[in-house]
Amino acid sequence: MYILGLTTLGDSAAAIIKDGQLIASVEEERFSRKKHHAGFPYKAIEFCLKQAGITLAKVEHVGHYWKPWILRHKAMQALKAGLISPAMFKARADRGIAQVSDSYLGMFKHPKRLREHFGPGDFKFHYLEHHQTHAASAFFVSPFDSAAILTWDGTGEDTTTLFCQGKGNKLQILKRIKLPHSLGQFYSAVTNFIGFDMFAGDEWKVMGLAAYGKPKYYDFFREKVLTTNGRGDFKFNIKVLDHHLAKHYQFPEAIVKELGPGRKPGEELTEHHWDIACSAQKALEDTAIYLVNKIYEMTGEENLCMAGGVAFNSVMNGRIFHETPFKRFFVQPAAGDAGCSLGAAYYVWHQLLGKPRDFVMNHAYYGPGFTNGECQTALNKAGLKYETLPDEELLPRVAKMISEGAIIGWFNGRMELGPRALGARSFLADPRRGDMREILNHKVKLREWFRPLAPSMHEEHGLEVFGVEHHDPFMITVIEVADEYKAKIPAVVHVDGTARPQMVSRETNPRYWSLINEFKKITGIPMLLNTSFNVQEPIVCTPQDAIKTFNNANFDALVMENNLVLREANS
């Protein structure tokens, strides 16, 4: 049985499973080259069907991550309850009415779109609740037979936070927190207050900037903006900081009086803004830990699964994973809305159809892959000179180049699912070089100076590098680096002494593990600096994308499967 899962608003994506086994999962942005692509994921669906080797006629069920009819009452209810002012209501309605007509009501046309574009199909189409697909994406692909499940984001329909418990092939809802109380909307509003862009996914920037500041405004955020009540709830006071006003860089008088005016995009980032980011980040973390402790009390589980955009806050995750009673954790690599396509497929398979579980997601490589010959064809067409070498020659050579300061574009195997580069589409460099972060951010990635870089490392060296046992194949947690290692790998250690590692398994990515091993032989360091293979666009997907980035960016060499392209040979 084939089941297709869909995400169709922001971060559009598709996933396909066969008899409970994941065949393919990919974001539409990788094909359209538009970050956070919004709209029907035609190319992602096309890839999934092609990877499965079927037509739409073979698909029996389609799961969709949203119930489009739970909509228009949300803002009206908030207005009547006095939770928002008429001005805030207007700011929401001006954008919301257009969204309802163009995006949400358009979801009812999705079955027709599928058949018009992909041919006849006798599938059953399921409109599913957003947060339940988040929960399914976390639990049903986890290694746990039972677990507490916490999903949190901006909003899905009218729910912002969902407490669940998973047992076997079923999810049980325990508690909901609804709009306007949203951790995701709180963090997005702070993002725009600091002058970044929530629509571009700039929440990452707030998290990175926070490490440089001090929590001077923490009491203000926890007492006036983001509060908890002892009953497992939290409140987001939108009279002080409103997500929908913040979309337009408009802010209530209460927050301006306390913090000063919001920073306009492009204005200088000052220490004041670092402190706001630090204060908001700490407020988010402490609220999250409070909620995690509550779900532990409710379930008594030892395992915790998380999903939703808030679950991408890796600094928060590091504290949750090491400061709460849970013993084991799982966050899949596409924890945001793109991963709801995965969750929608598995929700149908397990929750609706009652099928048993026999799949665990232990890697992220479910996107397109290309043969050595396909890479050579693209290189020949681009007129690039290259060498084709076996791994026993190529990997030691590339490792030596990295140890001597080279930056490598690494294109290997099937593309990763989710926003993190995990050794399939990565820029690689030497973590020992203290100036490498500045070089990559300023000269290659063309992004802000404070953006952190991460290590990809042998999973068996986790205790050595961090001083604690740590398993994270998806680069989803930030933890403290052991003192003796901080000076050895300055390019991947944050200003506060932490790092966000990817633990690389020899079993799931043997070629990437072997490259790291060759670097270890030369340097004694069991890791490489890893950042996503892209420059101001989605991570590269095809050989053509990689070649375009090579031609337009400033790095030393490109490895496409077994083909090595040197800058100096093509200059």
Side-chain angles (χ1 to χ4, degrees):
M1 180 185 291
Y2 291 96
I3 300 174
L4 183 67
L6 301 179
T7 297
T8 61
L9 292 177
D11 294 326
S12 299
I16 194 164
I17 63 176
K18 176 186 179 183
D19 296 333
Q21 300 298 307
L22 181 59
I23 303 298
S25 187
V26 67
E27 299 102 314
E28 186 74 5
E29 68 165 30
R30 304 300 172 84
F31 304 104
S32 70
R33 313 308 300 157
K34 297 176 182 177
K35 278 191 173 184
H36 306 291
H37 183 108
F40 199 72
Y42 290 106
K43 292 293 186 181
I45 295 168
E46 180 182 350
F47 165 72
C48 285
L49 294 175
K50 180 179 179 182
Q51 191 68 30
I54 62 169
T55 65
L56 185 64
K58 290 285 188 180
V59 174
E60 295 189 36
H61 296 271
V62 179
H64 183 265
Y65 83 133
W66 202 284
K67 292 183 175 180
W69 53 87
I70 308 176
L71 292 169
R72 308 180 75 163
H73 67 289
K74 292 187 294 185
M76 187 62 72
Q77 284 181 330
L79 180 66
K80 288 179 179 178
L83 295 172
I84 60 174
S85 68
M88 292 178 186
F89 178 78
K90 185 178 186 303
R92 292 162 181 243
D94 286 346
R95 189 168 184 273
I97 291 171
Q99 277 193 336
V100 167
S101 59
D102 294 341
S103 299
Y104 292 104
L105 297 183
M107 294 180 192
F108 291 111
K109 299 178 181 179
H110 288 346
K112 181 180 178 182
R113 288 188 176 102
L114 280 168
R115 294 184 176 99
E116 285 179 346
H117 197 82
F118 298 103
D122 192 27
F123 53 82
K124 184 173 182 180
F125 198 95
H126 305 267
Y127 291 100
L128 307 170
E129 186 198 342
H130 180 76
H131 270 269
Q132 291 191 59
T133 64
H134 269 315
S137 79
F139 177 64
F140 287 144
V141 301
S142 78
F144 309 138
D145 293 328
S146 67
I149 309 163
L150 192 54
T151 69
W152 35 22
D153 62 8
T155 187
E157 296 97 6
D158 59 352
T159 297
T160 68
T161 308
L162 190 67
F163 294 68
C164 289
Q165 188 168 15
K167 289 186 178 293
N169 64 351
K170 295 297 178 186
L171 302 174
Q172 178 187 359
I173 296 173
L174 304 176
K175 179 183 177 68
R176 298 176 184 273
I177 297 175
K178 296 190 176 185
L179 283 171
H181 309 298
S182 166
L183 291 179
Q185 291 193 358
F186 161 75
Y187 210 76
S188 292
V190 170
T191 298
N192 274 29
F193 190 87
I194 300 176
F196 300 135
D197 184 359
M198 65 174 78
F199 294 116
D202 283 355
E203 288 86 350
W204 305 108
K205 298 182 182 181
V206 178
M207 186 178 68
L209 190 64
Y212 292 86
K214 299 176 181 177
K216 288 176 60 175
Y217 307 106
Y218 171 79
D219 289 344
F220 165 72
F221 279 118
R222 289 291 278 134
E223 294 172 7
K224 302 294 185 182
V225 184
L226 199 61
T227 60
T228 51
N229 61 10
R231 298 190 301 272
D233 293 326
F234 69 91
K235 301 293 184 185
F236 174 33
N237 187 353
I238 60 175
K239 293 181 180 179
V240 179
L241 179 62
D242 181 74
H243 167 78
H244 291 273
L245 288 177
K247 291 175 180 177
H248 308 284
Y249 295 95
Q250 300 171 13
F251 306 99
E253 182 180 346
I255 193 168
V256 173
K257 183 178 179 181
E258 183 71 26
L259 301 182
R263 172 179 171 264
K264 293 182 173 60
E267 288 184 349
E268 181 186 1
L269 269 174
T270 68
E271 193 170 334
H272 173 64
H273 303 115
W274 307 355
D275 293 342
I276 294 172
C278 179
S279 303
Q281 173 68 28
K282 181 170 169 47
L284 174 81
E285 292 170 17
D286 288 350
T287 305
I289 288 174
Y290 165 81
L291 296 175
V292 170
N293 285 331
K294 286 297 179 182
I295 198 171
Y296 177 78
E297 292 175 10
M298 294 166 69
T299 64
E301 293 281 358
E302 294 185 342
N303 306 316
L304 175 66
C305 297
M306 299 191 301
V310 177
F312 276 139
N313 194 298
S314 50
V315 178
M316 176 196 79
N317 289 346
R319 287 192 61 194
I320 289 172
F321 290 6
H322 295 285
E323 295 181 25
T324 67
F326 287 99
K327 294 182 179 179
R328 291 172 292 274
F329 306 86
F330 184 80
V331 180
Q332 51 91 357
D337 281 4
C340 287
S341 58
L342 178 76
Y346 277 101
Y347 188 93
V348 172
W349 178 246
H350 295 303
Q351 190 82 2
L352 299 187
L353 300 180
K355 301 295 186 180
R357 292 171 59 197
D358 63 352
F359 172 79
V360 174
M361 191 176 194
N362 57 12
H363 67 80
Y365 310 113
Y366 290 100
F370 299 87
T371 66
N372 214 44
E374 288 172 323
C375 293
Q376 291 171 347
T377 297
L379 289 167
N380 291 334
K381 187 174 181 180
L384 289 174
K385 299 175 184 177
Y386 62 92
E387 299 176 69
T388 302
L389 302 168
D391 276 1
E392 54 266 30
E393 294 181 35
L394 178 65
L395 299 185
R397 183 171 170 184
V398 171
K400 187 172 187 295
M401 291 170 61
I402 294 172
S403 74
E404 294 172 349
I407 298 170
I408 307 293
W410 175 257
F411 186 99
N412 170 55
R414 291 181 65 178
M415 184 181 66
E416 307 95 333
L417 171 66
R420 316 283 201 211
L422 300 172
R425 307 287 187 273
S426 293
F427 280 128
L428 304 178
D430 190 341
R432 302 172 303 160
R433 287 191 54 165
D435 60 347
M436 188 54 74
R437 184 177 66 190
E438 181 181 355
I439 292 170
L440 272 162
N441 280 336
H442 181 65
K443 295 184 177 181
V444 180
K445 301 279 285 184
L446 307 179
R447 63 185 193 177
E448 295 86 355
W449 58 270
F450 58 83
R451 300 288 290 277
L453 301 170
S456 287
M457 56 176 290
H458 286 166
E459 63 177 356
E460 53 267 40
H461 288 278
L463 181 61
E464 172 190 342
V465 175
F466 297 104
V468 294
E469 291 291 349
H470 184 71
H471 178 70
D472 179 5
F474 302 133
M475 202 184 284
I476 208 77
T477 56
V478 168
I479 62 171
E480 182 85 11
V481 177
D483 288 341
E484 59 269 27
Y485 247 89
K486 288 175 182 174
K488 295 180 180 180
I489 51 172
V492 295
V493 177
H494 307 156
V495 67
D496 59 1
T498 61
R500 189 188 71 208
Q502 175 202 2
M503 316 305 279
V504 179
S505 164
R506 190 172 193 172
E507 179 182 352
T508 57
N509 196 335
R511 193 165 187 251
Y512 192 37
W513 188 97
S514 295
L515 177 64
I516 297 170
N517 199 49
E518 293 297 334
F519 183 80
K520 178 175 175 282
K521 290 177 184 177
I522 298 169
T523 66
I525 302 296
M527 69 177 66
L528 294 170
L529 183 157
N530 169 13
T531 190
S532 55
F533 192 171
N534 62 330
V535 180
Q536 302 294 311
E537 65 172 0
I539 297 174
V540 302
C541 175
T542 66
Q544 291 76 17
D545 296 333
I547 290 168
K548 179 182 176 183
T549 303
F550 178 76
N551 287 333
N552 295 333
N554 183 24
F555 59 98
D556 300 292
L558 171 64
V559 176
M560 297 174 62
E561 297 303 336
N562 285 90
N563 306 294
L564 174 63
V565 186
L566 300 176
R567 177 77 60 191
E568 61 185 19
N570 286 277
S571 58

